[in-house]
Amino acid sequence: MSTARYILVSLPSRIFDDDPLSALSSTIGRDNGEILPFAVPSFKIGTLDALVQYADDLAKLNSGCEAVVSKVSESLQTILDGDADKAAQQKVVADKSTDRYITAFQWNSVRYRSDRPLGEIIEILQKELQNTDNDVKTKFSQYNAVKTNLAALQRKQTGNLSTKSLTPIVQPDLLVQDSEYLETHLIVVPTNSRKDFLKSYETLAPMVVPRSSIQIAQDDEFTLFAVTTFKKTSAEFLHKCREHKWTPRQYKYVEGGKEEEQRELDRVTKEEASVRGGALRIARTGWSESVMVWAHVMTLRVFVETVLRYGLPLEFVCVLVKTTAKQAKKVKTSLDSAYSYLGGNAMGRDKRGRVTKDDASLTSEMAAAGLGGGEGNEYTPYVYYEFGFP
């Protein structure tokens, strides 16, 4: 998982006397993060009620983006057998590394024209995210089904005698076939119970053919025996075997069965490789698309909340801070210390000069700004969004 954290900060231009980037670099501290300009287009603003609704829609869409990006990351890692380094190499966005795409982000004005109403842009982003999620889910589900099928076939080839295919092991001349009265049973016995089986199998049930036991195969855990009984007592014999923890194996000889099993294994092996390649391509595309959608959603969130907080005329500075999870807390503390006054009565300081929040005033400030105060929506006196990528 990437250790990088990104913070989008928007502040009103009026609070800066000098170059905003220099002022923010001084406030945050160069050791705590890299401060980069982040361009936010001018969108159609619309009514206050519409902006409040957009803020709510974007918050939900943002959660959706985070979930899809996380699922695509998990899919990539699963397809690449848990190799995090190989998965990281696939996380490319618009032919750039994810970090490069975010730090040099530019609004895609071809796909999302800024002269469209905000509601239309949000709807387009929602549909694109849903399509990406569906594409990755469908292909990954297909890949999992083929992978499970292949694993089952491979277990038949490589498992122990209790699970593997008996087709290449049991020769037809060992079985009593086409008899009206007799039939052969294949019994898998733990190797440490081999002597007990040989001593007792003839008396487990009536009409077991004496000395009919034949050892067919043995591995590290089990021994496979063939035993012949009369058909009328077969059910009792098999029941007694199960009581002793000896496992009957269902098997019927089929001419050419060994070759057919190998052909099926070869076919599914090729199918798995093909579907795996397709799933990897879809997951790689899904990463690119979902991260792009998320970046545009974050940009819209900054714009909408900036209008709600700072009002018109719309004059603001937006920066991206690239930092780490550990340093992000220091960045937040520094920003709170410098700009808490923007929160009005909602923010204050204790006797030691530390920034504090007045919950009663906070509620009214958020309501006045058209911002929800629900769980997970921590109030800051300025526009602040922190995010990262798996």
Side-chain angles (χ1 to χ4, degrees):
M1 183 173 179
S2 173
T3 58
R5 297 292 293 176
Y6 304 93
I7 300 171
L8 281 171
V9 179
S10 169
L11 292 161
S13 301
R14 56 182 166 76
I15 67 173
F16 296 103
D17 295 327
D18 301 317
D19 176 47
L21 282 180
S22 298
L24 282 165
S25 294
S26 177
T27 297
I28 292 170
R30 296 187 184 278
D31 293 338
N32 291 331
E34 180 183 4
I35 292 84
L36 301 161
F38 191 90
V40 178
S42 295
F43 299 99
K44 290 184 175 180
I45 294 175
T47 65
L48 177 61
D49 287 345
L51 286 173
V52 173
Q53 183 60 53
Y54 295 152
D56 186 49
D57 293 342
L58 287 166
K60 293 174 183 176
L61 184 53
N62 185 79
S63 297
C65 290
E66 188 171 5
V68 171
V69 167
S70 180
K71 284 188 285 186
V72 173
S73 178
E74 290 174 6
S75 297
L76 273 170
Q77 199 150 325
T78 299
I79 294 166
L80 295 168
D81 301 319
D83 192 321
D85 291 335
K86 286 184 178 179
Q89 293 172 8
Q90 302 298 320
K91 293 178 178 179
V92 176
V93 184
D95 298 323
K96 303 173 186 174
S97 69
T98 302
D99 176 76
R100 179 60 183 162
Y101 177 78
I102 294 299
T103 55
F105 176 77
Q106 290 184 321
W107 182 268
N108 189 332
S109 57
V110 176
R111 286 174 69 167
Y112 318 108
R113 283 170 32 204
S114 58
D115 60 349
R116 287 175 175 267
L118 280 173
E120 286 187 16
I121 300 175
I122 294 170
E123 187 176 346
I124 292 170
L125 291 166
Q126 288 171 331
K127 288 180 179 178
E128 289 187 353
L129 183 69
Q130 187 62 57
N131 289 339
T132 297
D133 189 30
N134 289 340
D135 289 346
V136 174
K137 277 181 181 177
T138 300
K139 199 66 178 180
F140 190 62
S141 177
Q142 181 188 2
Y143 170 67
N144 271 337
V146 175
K147 186 179 179 182
T148 300
N149 189 19
L150 177 61
L153 291 173
Q154 289 173 333
R155 278 197 300 273
K156 286 183 178 181
Q157 299 290 322
T158 61
N160 59 43
L161 286 168
S162 68
T163 58
K164 73 188 301 181
S165 172
L166 299 181
T167 300
I169 299 172
V170 180
Q171 300 303 315
D173 57 359
L174 296 173
L175 306 173
V176 175
Q177 301 184 73
D178 303 322
S179 169
E180 185 178 351
Y181 301 104
L182 300 174
E183 65 181 334
T184 303
H185 305 289
L186 301 175
I187 310 298
V188 176
V189 178
T191 300
N192 58 11
S193 301
R194 181 176 178 278
K195 289 183 180 180
D196 291 339
F197 175 80
L198 290 173
K199 285 181 182 179
S200 60
Y201 79 90
E202 293 179 359
T203 59
L204 286 178
M207 306 181 77
V208 176
V209 176
R211 300 182 183 178
S212 63
S213 170
I214 301 172
Q215 180 174 320
I216 298 175
Q218 184 174 348
D219 59 25
D220 293 339
E221 300 175 73
F222 300 99
T223 303
L224 177 66
F225 290 98
V227 177
T228 302
T229 72
F230 279 76
K231 289 183 177 180
K232 64 190 298 183
T233 62
S234 290
E236 183 179 352
F237 175 76
L238 296 176
H239 176 70
K240 291 293 184 181
C241 283
R242 293 189 182 96
E243 285 186 347
H244 285 77
K245 309 297 183 185
W246 303 333
T247 307
R249 292 290 309 273
Q250 295 293 323
Y251 175 75
K252 184 176 182 180
Y253 174 74
V254 177
E255 185 72 34
K258 181 179 178 180
E259 293 76 11
E260 179 58 32
E261 279 192 1
Q262 187 58 50
R263 283 195 294 271
E264 178 66 3
L265 177 62
D266 293 342
R267 183 190 69 78
V268 177
T269 299
K270 290 179 181 178
E271 183 184 8
E272 190 270 347
S274 174
V275 175
R276 182 176 184 270
L280 183 58
R281 287 191 294 274
I282 291 292
R284 179 175 171 139
T285 301
W287 175 267
S288 179
E289 289 295 313
S290 58
V291 170
M292 281 195 288
V293 169
W294 196 6
H296 285 80
V297 168
M298 294 295 292
T299 304
L300 288 178
R301 293 193 80 189
V302 168
F303 177 82
V304 169
E305 190 174 346
T306 296
V307 176
L308 290 172
R309 283 180 180 273
Y310 309 142
L312 299 174
L314 195 57
E315 296 176 352
F316 67 101
V317 175
C318 184
V319 298
L320 177 74
V321 183
K322 180 186 174 183
T323 184
T324 63
K326 184 178 180 181
Q327 297 298 100
K329 294 180 180 178
K330 294 181 179 180
V331 173
K332 180 70 164 54
T333 300
S334 298
L335 290 169
D336 281 349
S337 180
Y339 305 115
S340 61
Y341 66 89
L342 292 172
N345 294 330
M347 307 296 288
R349 293 181 183 271
D350 62 16
K351 293 180 180 179
R352 296 184 180 180
R354 294 174 300 192
V355 175
T356 60
K357 298 176 184 177
D358 182 331
D359 291 338
S361 297
L362 175 58
T363 301
S364 62
E365 288 285 336
M366 294 183 75
L371 302 170
E375 184 180 350
N377 188 14
E378 182 183 354
Y379 178 81
T380 56
Y382 45 87
V383 178
Y384 177 99
Y385 292 118
E386 181 182 334
F387 60 102
F389 301 97

